[in-house]
Amino acid sequence: MMEAPGSAVRKFRAKLGRSRVDADGTDPVLAGVSDGGSDAAGAREAANLATALASLEQQLAGLRSEVGALRAELAASTLPTPSGSKGQAAISPVRSTPTAGERAGAARHNREMVRPGGEGADTQAAAPLGLPARPEHAVNRHIRRWRCRSGRLRRAAAPYARAIVRPRPAEMPVPAPLTWGELGALLAIMAVAAFLRFDGLAALPSGLHGDEGIAGLEGRRILRDGWIGVYTPSALGQPTGPFYVVAPAVWLFGDTILAVRLVPALLGTLTVLALYAVVRRNLGVRTALVAAALLAVMTWHVHFARIGFPLEAWPLVVVLAAGALAEATRSDGPRWWAAAGAAAGFGVYIYNAHPLVLAVFGLFALYHFYRWALIVPLGALALFAYAPSALTLAALAGGILSLMRDRRLASGHLARRAGAFALGAGVVLTPIARFAAVERNGYFNHARQYTILNKEPWTSLQGESSRVDFLLDRYLQFWDHLTHAALVDGVDASGVMPMVPLALLLLAVLGGGWGLLRCRLPLVSIGALMVLIMPFAAVTTIEGAARRTFAIAPFLALFGALGAIQLFRFAAGRAPMPRLGVVAGLALAVWLTVSQSVVNYRETFAKAPMQEWVFCRELTDAALYMRGLPSTSYVYFYSERWSVNYETRQFLAPDVRAEDRSAQFGRFAFDIDPANGTPVFVFLGAYRGDVETVRRLYPGGNLVEGGELGKPPTFVAYAPPVAP
């Protein structure tokens, strides 16, 4: 059916209006979120559309003139009157009666060519050629108007009726060129991020945790042996990907605290830059700058960037994978989908909790390709596997029948893109999958150790409702602990202070709600899935909640930026007094975010005795002292908490010869064997008081106390006099 010229003109005028908005730098998809565009590209598009519009208007004018000529010709057409009629003209405008076939053709003509008007439309029904106009019945007119109104209402409500996680393909704005102002703001943000992560890196946190020592030991092993595989049994099992990056730092800086913490600090700073680049591509310049600034000062991200755990590379990989996946949704070819699958799969070589991230990305990809056609049967299958029953079996059968009737599964275009995503992920995951397939490798030992599904109180819960309530309580508890000082984790010291300020979380809730309801771009949908699903990595495990959910930190910064910008734009359109209140509230939220993230970390966390306890301050000072002893020395080590073979000592003082003499790890005694070398006694914790006993047994030796002046010593060392 041929489109009416007037309709085409109206469409081009609407598109021209959008292009003019684009030329001004506003993304029509985001409707206020994007804050940059290419003026030159928008102007060229506007000029092209204006030319096309002028051409269509000329064609419309020609058609109107032809219609006018036809109407004039019809009006001039006449039929001869009967002969002998006096007082009448020779011709009469009386029409002949149309036949039934002519009336049927006229009805078809009306249905195809006549477009019903709106509320102000002409009350006369359009007449076909050769037929008189017929008045429209009042009932029909009201029905037509009601249908027009209901159609507009349905179209207006349709976006809100869809699922909020539905990724809507969106035409992204042309990225704006980098201006000097934007470059200056970015450099300032990166300078702040680098300062917070590198300043005093070896001194805060105070000490070196054993897991940091493992990272240094594995880096040293890589320098010595080369390839060590994709997984190591150290620390109950962990991927080796980050250790290959730590190895060059150990080679450059030796067995030092700085060597194991330098790489996480660098990766954390690069994550801020990566988040800026991904958000700028998808949501615009201002949103990208605010998101990068929030991540730069976020306590959660700063804290783990200053710890030598193999963890800081995880958010970087997740951000890059999310950017690749968002780019793939706008691409018709399979290359971006393959890149997104490979990037998503690479995270399994960084941290044990990444399989849940991989599941989130896979869920998004499946929904993008097949909507609910494939997700519903998979969910029904999982439900049937968890709780077999007639009801779940019926749900599974219904899902399979629905899947068989869906036409999207037969689409070759979708199959190629889905296959590219699966292929990219499969190629990257093959080495770790082959390792995990061998039971003796112990790949799943870490998960079995920390899961709650085989421990109390989960095993004692009766009924599915009680288990759901239990998981829901832990889910809410996770968010509460994230924003408040809670139980301190014995591995990373999270809980000494809030990881995420409450003001930032409230901004993230506001921004996430707005993004899902009004924006719904792929990056927003991916971020929402991450924020909502990843907490279950902490809900279903014991300890380490801040570590296993660390990948959502960049997305909280993203949603916080969306919330701050939308709140500011809301205030800009208000009256002066309400505007002042909104701006004051926004300024207070930003100040609280920055102060809690920067000042409290430098003050509260740095002075907390608990963080010194977690990061083995006593053992670290003792190991640094032992490293400076002569090579002929032999250490007798006393500590109720650590063995002398703990990883912190092994990394910081690898060449020290020592033995445990505490009751917890060895034979408690004060005798010495001169054949071992020059004796040195080192006392930690509750054993520090035994130094007086040793001084009485071997008087005249040298006493050394570790730690800071004015504080209790972290260790006490005594070197008896050397026999002549």
Side-chain angles (χ1 to χ4, degrees):
M1 183 174 62
M2 186 175 180
E3 186 177 23
S7 175
V9 170
R10 283 191 294 273
K11 290 183 179 180
F12 268 89
R13 280 176 177 167
K15 191 173 182 181
L16 176 61
R18 291 195 298 271
S19 69
R20 287 171 180 166
V21 173
D22 291 344
D24 294 336
T26 303
D27 178 20
V29 177
L30 300 180
V33 177
S34 178
D35 28 35
S38 175
D39 293 341
R44 287 195 298 270
E45 185 180 358
N48 295 335
L49 291 175
T51 303
L53 177 61
S55 175
L56 281 175
E57 287 179 340
Q58 291 178 0
Q59 296 178 20
L60 180 61
L63 289 174
R64 285 173 176 169
S65 63
E66 292 180 7
V67 171
L70 287 174
R71 286 177 176 174
E73 183 178 349
L74 287 174
S77 63
T78 58
L79 294 174
T81 60
S83 59
S85 299
K86 296 183 179 180
Q88 294 183 357
I91 56 176
S92 175
V94 178
R95 299 170 183 259
S96 61
T97 303
T99 64
E102 291 174 340
R103 290 186 180 276
R108 288 194 301 270
H109 181 80
N110 281 336
R111 287 194 299 270
E112 294 178 359
M113 300 301 296
V114 178
R115 182 179 180 180
E119 296 181 22
D122 189 4
T123 58
Q124 297 291 328
L129 299 180
L131 294 178
R134 180 169 53 87
E136 183 181 19
H137 195 278
V139 175
N140 294 336
R141 183 169 64 252
H142 288 302
I143 291 175
R144 177 166 50 82
R145 291 181 179 178
W146 176 82
R147 287 176 177 174
C148 182
R149 293 177 184 174
S150 63
R152 287 198 299 270
L153 289 175
R154 284 195 302 271
R155 288 191 296 271
Y160 302 96
R162 298 190 188 102
I164 61 175
V165 297
R166 177 177 180 178
R168 180 181 60 181
E171 182 181 352
M172 298 306 301
V174 178
L178 186 66
T179 62
W180 287 107
E182 180 187 355
L183 180 60
L186 178 60
L187 290 177
I189 292 171
M190 295 303 299
V192 171
F195 174 79
L196 294 178
R197 287 157 178 79
F198 285 96
D199 180 57
L201 186 60
L204 185 65
S206 304
L208 185 76
H209 193 274
D211 287 355
E212 295 180 282
I214 290 175
L217 293 173
E218 294 293 349
R220 187 193 301 161
R221 183 159 72 100
I222 291 172
L223 293 175
R224 183 183 66 248
D225 301 335
W227 175 255
I228 63 172
V230 297
Y231 203 79
T232 176
S234 60
L236 294 178
Q238 56 185 327
T240 59
F243 300 145
Y244 290 97
V245 186
V246 173
V250 174
W251 177 72
L252 286 173
F253 298 97
D255 302 324
T256 62
I257 299 176
L258 181 63
V260 296
R261 292 182 178 175
L262 184 65
V263 170
L266 178 60
L267 294 176
T269 307
L270 292 178
T271 304
V272 176
L273 183 61
L275 180 67
Y276 162 80
V278 171
V279 176
R280 187 183 191 274
R281 173 72 179 99
N282 290 270
L283 296 172
V285 175
R286 284 192 289 270
T287 307
L289 289 174
V290 176
L294 291 176
L295 185 64
V297 301
M298 185 186 295
T299 303
W300 198 3
H301 198 261
V302 171
H303 178 62
F304 282 104
R306 300 179 63 89
I307 301 175
F309 291 170
L311 184 65
E312 192 63 28
W314 191 28
L316 177 60
V317 171
V318 172
V319 168
L320 294 177
L325 190 56
E327 197 68 31
T329 60
R330 298 185 292 270
S331 174
D332 292 332
R335 288 179 296 179
W336 271 110
W337 285 104
F346 187 74
V348 298
Y349 298 99
I350 297 175
Y351 194 60
N352 283 315
H354 187 76
L356 185 56
V357 177
L358 193 61
V360 170
F361 284 4
L363 179 66
F364 174 84
L366 283 177
Y367 186 78
H368 178 80
F369 291 135
Y370 304 110
R371 296 297 185 260
W372 296 107
L374 193 57
I375 294 180
V376 170
L378 291 177
L381 179 61
L383 187 62
F384 178 75
Y386 177 74
S389 65
L391 182 61
T392 56
L393 180 60
L396 177 60
I400 294 176
L401 290 177
S402 176
L403 177 63
M404 295 174 61
R405 297 179 58 186
D406 196 278
R407 296 181 179 181
R408 281 187 289 264
L409 293 179
S411 173
H413 183 60
L414 292 179
R416 284 191 297 271
R417 292 188 293 171
F421 180 81
L423 179 62
V427 170
V428 174
L429 293 174
T430 297
I432 197 81
R434 295 180 60 184
F435 179 88
V438 181
E439 180 65 25
R440 67 175 180 273
N441 289 335
Y443 178 79
F444 299 100
N445 289 345
H446 191 278
R448 296 189 186 102
Q449 177 71 23
Y450 289 102
T451 182
I452 66 170
L453 302 181
N454 56 8
K455 299 177 179 64
E456 293 287 344
W458 178 265
T459 55
S460 62
L461 294 175
Q462 301 295 329
E464 300 303 324
S465 60
S466 60
R467 292 184 175 182
V468 171
D469 292 340
F470 176 76
L471 294 177
L472 181 59
D473 290 341
R474 288 179 60 88
Y475 188 88
L476 298 177
Q477 188 180 27
F478 163 79
W479 290 107
D480 180 68
H481 289 176
L482 198 64
T483 55
H484 297 85
L487 184 64
V488 178
D489 188 275
V491 176
D492 55 42
S494 59
V496 173
M497 62 174 299
M499 292 285 100
V500 177
L502 181 60
L504 176 57
L505 185 61
L506 294 177
L507 286 177
V509 171
L510 176 63
W514 183 90
L516 291 173
L517 293 177
R518 298 293 301 276
C519 176
R520 295 181 292 121
L521 288 174
L523 183 63
V524 175
S525 300
I526 295 170
L529 289 174
M530 285 289 299
V531 171
L532 294 175
I533 295 178
M534 277 307 297
F536 284 99
V539 169
T540 57
T541 57
I542 58 174
E543 303 176 357
R547 299 190 301 276
R548 297 188 183 97
T549 58
F550 186 45
I552 69 176
F555 298 100
L556 288 180
L558 164 63
F559 289 131
L562 282 178
I565 287 178
Q566 293 309 312
L567 193 60
F568 181 80
R569 287 179 174 169
F570 173 79
R574 303 298 100 184
M577 290 304 296
R579 181 191 312 166
L580 180 62
V582 175
V583 172
L586 180 60
L588 178 62
V590 173
W591 181 82
L592 289 175
T593 299
V594 175
S595 64
Q596 290 187 14
S597 299
V598 179
V599 178
N600 286 356
Y601 187 79
R602 294 281 174 165
E603 296 294 330
T604 305
F605 181 81
K607 297 178 180 179
M610 194 62 186
Q611 68 93 8
E612 295 186 353
W613 184 88
V614 170
F615 285 94
C616 313
R617 171 69 183 278
E618 296 179 354
L619 180 60
T620 302
D621 290 350
L624 293 176
Y625 165 76
M626 289 186 284
R627 185 170 65 180
L629 293 174
S631 59
T632 58
S633 300
Y634 189 83
V635 176
Y636 298 96
F637 189 76
Y638 298 81
S639 173
E640 77 277 11
R641 185 180 172 194
W642 302 285
S643 167
V644 74
N645 295 319
Y646 191 67
E647 288 83 0
T648 300
R649 197 281 306 168
Q650 290 189 46
F651 174 68
L652 293 177
D655 298 327
V656 170
R657 297 182 300 122
E659 68 175 80
D660 285 308
R661 281 293 185 89
S662 64
Q664 289 78 10
F665 299 100
R667 179 180 62 89
F668 181 71
F670 299 116
D671 59 297
I672 60 177
D673 185 359
N676 291 330
T678 304
V680 177
F681 292 89
V682 177
F683 301 94
L684 278 70
Y687 286 96
R688 286 177 298 188
D690 291 329
V691 67
E692 297 300 329
T693 303
V694 175
R695 291 181 68 180
R696 289 193 300 268
L697 292 174
Y698 310 101
N702 185 25
L703 180 68
V704 177
E705 293 184 347
E708 302 176 6
L709 294 177
K711 294 184 178 181
T714 55
F715 72 92
V716 178
Y718 183 74
V722 179

